[in-house]
Amino acid sequence: SGAGKSTLLDLISGLQIPSEGNFKLNDKLFSPFSSETFPKQIGYVPQAITIFDETLAFNISLEKKPNLKKLENAIEKSNLSKFVKSLTCGIETVLGEGERGLSGGQKQRIGIARALYNECRLLILDEATNALDIKTENNILQTLNKLKGDLTILTVTHKTNQNQFFDRLFEISNGSLVEKNK
């Protein structure tokens, strides 16, 4: 806690401008803040997912008229298909403000689908499984594991039981990012 993990994700995603230092991409100076294309390639899943008093389709796409192919793809990749089939009106089901009736796992999957809707190449997760029970957490991690190879996944977590799901592990120590052995 307090080491700067969420701040680092905010910097990488372009949500926060750095007060000092530089970004490098392939050993070249790079600014995610002046790039028009870089932010469009990032999907961000925060610790808490906001659910709007709107349809599931809107809650994933954040558009009144979503692209159905992109929506279907995001639902499939986030492992929401079974949930969608269980809804009376499918993707047109109004979820309601305050997440009425949604489990923690369903909210997280909606957040993941939202991040995947625009076909991101970098998926950033900030403590995405923090508030979930062990079974739901493992289901979410299995879902993310299936996405490996399709996109880069960068996640921040306090949980050391998730190590088998990651290719590389880093720790923030004394303001530096240090690679850890698995």
Side-chain angles (χ1 to χ4, degrees):
S1 292
K5 297 177 297 299
S6 294
T7 301
L8 178 62
L9 294 184
D10 287 350
L11 289 167
I12 291 170
S13 64
L15 293 174
Q16 184 174 328
I17 297 173
S19 56
E20 60 184 79
N22 297 306
F23 279 94
K24 286 189 176 183
L25 185 62
N26 296 328
D27 289 323
K28 294 180 182 172
L29 285 178
F30 171 76
S31 174
F33 316 101
S34 62
S35 172
E36 289 185 30
T37 57
F38 186 73
K40 294 175 186 172
Q41 296 181 39
I42 296 174
Y44 191 92
V45 182
Q47 292 180 33
I49 305 300
T50 300
I51 301 296
F52 301 99
D53 190 12
E54 282 282 353
T55 64
L56 175 61
F58 179 85
N59 271 283
I60 292 171
S61 68
L62 302 178
E63 299 173 343
K64 287 290 185 182
K65 294 182 180 181
N67 177 307
L68 294 180
K69 184 174 178 148
K70 286 172 46 175
L71 187 62
E72 187 177 293
N73 188 40
I75 287 169
E76 182 182 325
K77 285 186 174 183
S78 62
N79 202 15
L80 271 174
S81 299
K82 187 176 177 182
F83 171 66
V84 172
K85 288 177 186 171
S86 76
L87 298 171
T88 313
C89 298
I91 60 171
E92 294 304 318
T93 300
V94 175
L95 298 181
E97 190 176 347
E99 306 128 19
R100 283 174 270 163
L102 293 176
S103 71
Q106 290 164 335
K107 287 188 279 189
Q108 284 308 113
R109 282 193 168 86
I110 290 169
I112 292 167
R114 187 180 291 166
L116 295 174
Y117 176 76
N118 286 314
E119 301 169 342
C120 66
R121 299 199 41 188
L122 172 61
L123 179 61
I124 298 176
L125 302 123
D126 187 358
E127 294 282 1
T129 62
N130 195 37
L132 304 177
D133 62 77
I134 298 291
K135 183 180 178 189
T136 304
E137 174 186 353
N138 283 330
N139 288 337
I140 296 287
L141 290 170
Q142 291 296 337
T143 297
L144 294 172
N145 205 32
K146 290 177 186 174
L147 296 173
K148 281 176 143 180
D150 291 339
L151 61 143
T152 300
I153 302 171
L154 175 62
T155 187
V156 163
T157 185
H158 285 99
K159 297 180 178 185
T160 57
N161 66 328
Q162 297 180 357
N163 291 357
Q164 74 271 17
F165 293 99
F166 306 119
D167 295 328
R168 296 173 71 188
L169 300 171
F170 294 87
E171 177 179 85
I172 295 179
S173 179
N174 298 321
S176 296
L177 204 56
V178 179
E179 187 164 8
K180 305 296 283 184
N181 293 326
K182 283 181 88 171

